[in-house]
Amino acid sequence: MERLESDFPEYFMADPVAIVNVASQRLYVVREGRIQREYPISTSRHGIGNQAGSYRTPLGVHRISQKIGDEAPLGTVFRGRVDTGRIAEIVTDPRRTPEDNITTRILWLEGLEYGINRGEGIDSFSRFIYIHGTDEEGLIGRPASEGCVRMTNRDVIELYDLMPDGSLVVIQ
């Protein structure tokens, strides 16, 4: 985390901050300079990158632009950020599901760094990069997504409640 503090000192004045560590497949919620929560996650199975259509997880500083799914039941399936009224079967063994559903809660990320995660052809918001629940919980802890940051459904509910709109998310 020292590298982040030196690279982005103005962002560490924000509280709370979520830090997504791609190498460890972990998300840390930092409050008052201390790790408050730690969660296993899954970033892209295609690696890191910012290009539209790459299905990769973009690096850099983001903010939570929109939160979607208030009070939705655990496992609720979203399509185009709309509650479909369906509840997904949550798979806890390490396998892919036919639909690769976005479930329970969505925290839609907006990149804050022009030329890195904001701007034409690389814009995280336009790429629909989210932190969200998944029906493929058995794959959490290893790269498995199509660009987003996946969490277990219970964990994404907790994160959703901890992180206000506008909170910073640093993907490193």
Side-chain angles (χ1 to χ4, degrees), residues 8-80:
F8 307 111
E10 66 275 17
Y11 296 116
F12 283 86
M13 299 303 288
D15 196 41
V17 174
I19 299 176
V20 173
N21 186 292
V22 174
S24 66
Q25 294 293 291
R26 307 294 284 181
L27 183 150
Y28 304 91
V29 176
V30 177
R31 276 217 155 107
E32 297 177 3
R34 297 188 185 274
I35 295 172
Q36 178 185 15
R37 297 277 196 285
E38 179 180 344
Y39 304 99
I41 52 125
S42 287
T43 57
S44 176
R45 64 189 176 120
H46 305 284
I48 55 173
N50 60 0
Q51 291 297 314
S54 70
Y55 299 104
R56 295 179 177 188
T57 300
L59 298 177
V61 181
H62 296 78
R63 75 175 183 93
I64 298 171
S65 178
Q66 294 180 36
K67 292 170 61 176
I68 300 162
D70 281 343
E71 306 299 320
L74 190 139
T76 297
V77 175
F78 291 89
R79 288 276 181 260

